[in-house]
Amino acid sequence: VYYFALPGLLFIKVAESQVRELLNSDFILAFYGAGLAVFLTGLILSRTILGKDIGRAGLTGMAAAYPNVGYIGLPLTIFAFGDAATLPAVLILTIDTALWIALGTLCLEAGKDGGHYAEIVKNISKGLALNPLLIAIALGAVVSAMELTLAKPVSVFCNLIGNAAPPCALFALGATIATRPVSMEHASPIALMTTLKLFVHPALVFISLNLVGGISEMWMTVALIDAALPIASNVFVLGQRYNTYVSEISSAVLISTLISVFTLSVLLVYLI
């Protein structure tokens, strides 16, 4: 899913679109203004109320703002709204991957003694440059910008593996969650992350989108659904890499995903 199906889907959808549609500054301002607000809220509440260090507080903020677009948002919005939902979902996936991983890593490194920020930047840049989803989006954007016509075998192949991405992504998500440990020993941070992600984040995005205005209905719909998604698996991966907040993040990912079955269903009924 991660190395073949999702990259194939992203490449073909971006390549066959108008790349200038991705450069939607009003949408980026509204969505990520709300995202940064909820990130800072999570970080500050974790520091002041729960008394966590900057690394754990940064992971809390990251969990509050980083939705699971790759494995849930992308397949869900395409199934629900068709190809028109692809571009806003791709834009969110692209910026999310770069922004939240960078901020989360910086907070974790800041919590360590003797962190070398030149090395941090190098590692983040390398990780993003080798990300197969970002590579696929970049290649698709080049094809679209140059108005190239894909050879039919390439188009057929990318559509073939791309069509497998949504159902396989959901299956992979279930298999991944099934192996995650769950512990309610630390109920307060779990409740904080889950509440911010599932309720505060979409509420702030809704307010922000309406304040900015001039954003198409489809882009607003995708933004609301993506903001209401559960915590991204990458937050757990980052916490595991630093051996920080592993149990809390793992439990929050699972619990937020289970609750989102109901909250997303209600939101989809309202939007459709």
Side-chain angles (χ1 to χ4, degrees), residues 8-184:
L9 174 68
L10 295 171
F11 171 75
I12 195 68
K13 296 302 182 186
V14 175
E16 293 178 348
S17 68
Q18 295 294 321
V19 72
R20 62 178 176 270
E21 294 178 21
L22 281 172
L23 305 177
N24 191 328
S25 58
D26 289 341
F27 178 83
I28 294 171
L29 174 66
F31 190 83
Y32 286 100
L36 287 169
V38 78
F39 174 86
L40 290 173
T41 300
L43 188 150
I44 292 169
L45 290 178
S46 182
R47 288 279 285 164
T48 57
I49 295 178
L50 301 182
K52 302 300 180 182
D53 60 61
I54 187 64
R56 289 174 172 80
L59 278 177
T60 300
M62 184 183 179
Y66 195 174
N68 197 337
V69 179
Y71 284 96
I72 301 180
L74 198 61
L76 182 64
T77 52
I78 291 175
F79 274 156
F81 303 103
D83 288 347
T86 302
L87 279 184
V90 165
L91 179 62
I92 291 171
L93 176 64
T94 304
I95 299 177
D96 274 358
T97 304
L99 178 62
W100 303 127
I101 289 178
L103 286 178
T105 302
L106 285 172
C107 288
L108 284 163
E109 288 289 344
K112 293 167 56 179
D113 293 328
H116 299 286
Y117 286 94
E119 190 68 20
I120 299 170
V121 173
K122 177 184 175 182
N123 290 336
I124 293 174
S125 301
K126 181 180 178 181
L128 295 177
L130 297 178
N131 186 299
L133 305 184
L134 297 185
I135 292 172
I137 292 168
L139 291 175
V142 170
V143 171
S144 175
M146 297 180 67
E147 299 182 353
L148 301 176
T149 301
L150 293 173
K152 189 160 186 181
V154 175
S155 178
V156 169
F157 175 74
C158 289
N159 277 300
L160 180 67
I161 62 172
N163 288 335
C168 288
L170 295 174
F171 184 87
L173 176 72
T176 303
I177 286 178
T179 63
R180 293 267 165 83
V182 180
S183 172
M184 293 307 294

